[in-house]
Amino acid sequence: MNTFTYPLIPRLIYRYANIPVTFVLLMYFFISVMALRISSFSIIPAFINVLLIYFVNRYYFRLYKLFPYKIEVDEQKMICSDFPFSRKIIQINFEDIERITGSIFNEFKNKPIHVYDGKQNVTIAFSLHLGRINDLLTIILSKIRKEKSDELLFKLRQHNIGMKNEGSNP
């Protein structure tokens, strides 16, 4: 059984980076509220800070639901565990995978890769910072249904060809 985990720094960022960011944004929010005594235009930065706090934390709460920090893979399944602030364990059989999207399979490489299990109606995600990500993707692509694997490999080739053509034009 192969085990894939995140290195220390990405693991800390994906788990806890929202805490100091939220703290700093809250400080700016309180400063903006205090500045309302001087100028009513301070409501604009206060409103922007509230929006930033909301979106940063919404993003991280989604990560907490989708990101396992430990993925074990054998011949038939993936066992995903070590979710932030949760003890849940998700087992996904390779034949039940209906969709793989994100990152290298789409236009945006910094998005996480999402794996959708249609039988259980479960989605997990992992980023390219996962240790030995290429090995994990190779195993997944070799174990899922042939037509789904061919479709994903075609998307990957098309995306790589597009990247090469963009790089060759000055």
Side-chain angles (χ1 to χ4, degrees), residues 83-148:
F83 287 87
F85 312 112
S86 174
R87 293 184 183 194
K88 69 181 174 181
I89 296 174
I90 297 175
Q91 179 176 319
I92 298 176
N93 295 323
F94 290 119
E95 68 259 2
D96 297 335
I97 294 176
E98 288 185 6
R99 193 171 55 239
I100 299 175
T101 60
S103 191
I104 60 173
F105 301 110
N106 292 357
E107 297 174 9
F108 307 104
K109 286 200 174 201
N110 33 342
K111 281 192 164 190
I113 296 172
H114 290 80
V115 177
Y116 176 70
D117 177 353
K119 189 173 184 182
Q120 300 179 64
N121 195 23
V122 170
T123 301
I124 64 152
F126 47 88
S127 98
L128 293 179
H129 296 107
L130 183 69
R132 299 180 12 240
I133 184 72
N134 291 335
D135 295 341
L136 177 61
L137 289 175
T138 302
I139 292 169
I140 292 173
L141 290 174
S142 68
K143 302 293 182 187
I144 62 175
R145 290 178 301 212
K146 176 104 172 92
E147 63 273 1
K148 188 57 63 184

Side-chain angles (χ1 to χ4, degrees), residues 1-51:
M1 183 171 280
N2 291 322
T3 302
F4 302 91
T5 59
Y6 287 91
L8 180 63
I9 299 299
R11 185 181 189 99
L12 290 174
I13 289 171
Y14 286 129
R15 278 192 189 222
Y16 304 115
N18 68 319
I19 296 170
V21 169
T22 301
F23 179 73
V24 169
L25 289 172
L26 278 173
M27 286 180 18
Y28 281 119
F29 171 74
F30 289 128
I31 291 170
S32 298
V33 169
M34 298 303 282
L36 281 173
R37 295 180 192 165
I38 300 168
S39 169
S40 62
F41 290 112
S42 296
I43 193 75
I44 295 170
F47 181 71
I48 290 171
N49 283 319
V50 167
L51 284 177

